């Protein structure tokens, strides 16, 4: 049986924190689908297409990772792909309560799809797409936070 996990998120844009979770997930599962969900309440900077393209570029070295997008409910999407698991990253305690609520709801929807949490790598515990956008807006250096392709895309957005 192929063990498939979905790694969902906004990825607006993808950071080294996301990539760390994706890479570690790809070592455990046979296949990981990184799925971009459009969370309108977050007022995105990049379109879903742009976010997917950046993710594809940044994960091209991982043969068992593919990139997709969806506007469905996460668990309906996971079920439609026959995924066994959903992977989420945890940074601080502040992530915990929100994730617990979502996971408990998701389990009610499909109890046989497991949610796996991975603790962030210490060096990325304060890294988020929002921080990256805030810093990039002032044209400060974000090379420690995102890959080159993302850095360039941010520079173009804030030109
Ligand atoms: P969402 O809108 O679903 O929170 P994000 O794009 O912000 O989407 O994050 C996608 C996933 O990546 C989430 O599970 C989030 O916790 C995780 N993540 C984001 N940044 C980091 C980081 N620096 N370290 C570990 N995990 C992270």
């Amino acid at each position: 049986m192929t063990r498939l996990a979905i790694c969902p998120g906004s990825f607006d844009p993808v950071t080294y924190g996301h990539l760390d979770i994706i890479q570690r997930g790809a070592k455990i599962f046979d296949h990981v689908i990184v799925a971009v969900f459009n969370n309108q309440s977050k007022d995105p900077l990049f379109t879903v297409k742009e976010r997917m393209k950046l993710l594809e570029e940044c994960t091209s070295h991982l043969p068992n990772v593919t990139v997709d997008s969806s506007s469905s409910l996460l668990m309906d999407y996971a079920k439609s792909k026959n995924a066994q698991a959903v992977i989420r990253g945890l940074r601080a305690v502040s992530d915990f309560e929100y994730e617990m609520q979502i996971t408990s709801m998701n389990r009610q929807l499909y109890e046989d799809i497991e949610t796996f949490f991975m603790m962030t790598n210490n060096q990325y515990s304060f890294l988020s797409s929002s921080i990256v956008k805030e810093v990039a807006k002032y044209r400060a250096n974000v090379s420690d936070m995102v890959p080159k392709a993302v850095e360039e895309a941010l520079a173009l957005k804030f030109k």
Side-chain angles (χ1 to χ4, degrees):
M1 186 175 74
T2 305
R3 299 219 165 259
L4 168 68
I6 309 294
C7 189
S10 311
F11 305 104
D12 184 42
V14 57
T15 68
Y16 281 136
H18 293 129
L19 289 171
D20 179 53
I21 296 292
I22 295 167
Q23 260 163 174
R24 284 157 61 196
K27 283 191 194 155
I28 308 289
F29 290 92
D30 298 318
H31 192 150
V32 173
I33 301 180
V34 183
V36 179
F37 285 81
N38 206 14
N39 187 342
Q40 284 300 347
S41 62
K42 285 200 171 175
D43 190 20
L45 175 67
F46 292 94
T47 65
V48 169
K49 240 182 168 169
E50 289 169 333
R51 286 180 252 165
M52 286 177 71
K53 191 164 169 272
L54 289 173
L55 274 164
E56 273 158 8
E57 278 182 60
C58 301
T59 58
S60 61
H61 60 295
L62 301 168
N64 61 336
V65 172
T66 50
V67 179
D68 194 11
S69 69
S70 171
S71 48
S72 314
L73 193 64
L74 165 62
M75 292 315 262
D76 287 339
Y77 174 79
K79 187 80 192 162
S80 75
K81 295 287 172 190
N82 285 322
Q84 282 81 24
V86 168
I87 301 174
R88 297 283 294 171
L90 282 180
R91 276 159 295 187
V93 185
S94 50
D95 277 345
F96 190 79
E97 190 164 349
Y98 171 77
E99 293 293 343
M100 233 173 106
Q101 278 177 20
I102 300 274
T103 304
S104 137
M105 210 238 330
N106 286 347
R107 193 177 293 129
Q108 282 175 42
L109 294 173
Y110 294 111
E111 62 177 3
D112 51 348
I113 301 179
E114 204 56 64
T115 302
F116 280 76
F117 290 102
M118 274 193 278
M119 220 173 93
T120 184
N121 208 318
N122 284 350
Q123 71 191 111
Y124 304 131
S125 28
F126 297 103
L127 180 53
S128 68
S129 300
S130 319
I131 297 274
V132 168
K133 285 182 278 190
E134 197 56 37
V135 172
K137 197 155 74 181
Y138 295 98
R139 295 179 183 80
N141 186 357
V142 289
S143 60
D144 286 349
M145 305 179 204
V146 295
K148 192 95 195 135
V150 178
E151 207 183 327
E152 286 168 5
L154 281 162
L156 274 177
K157 284 278 177 195
F158 293 117
K159 202 164 59 175

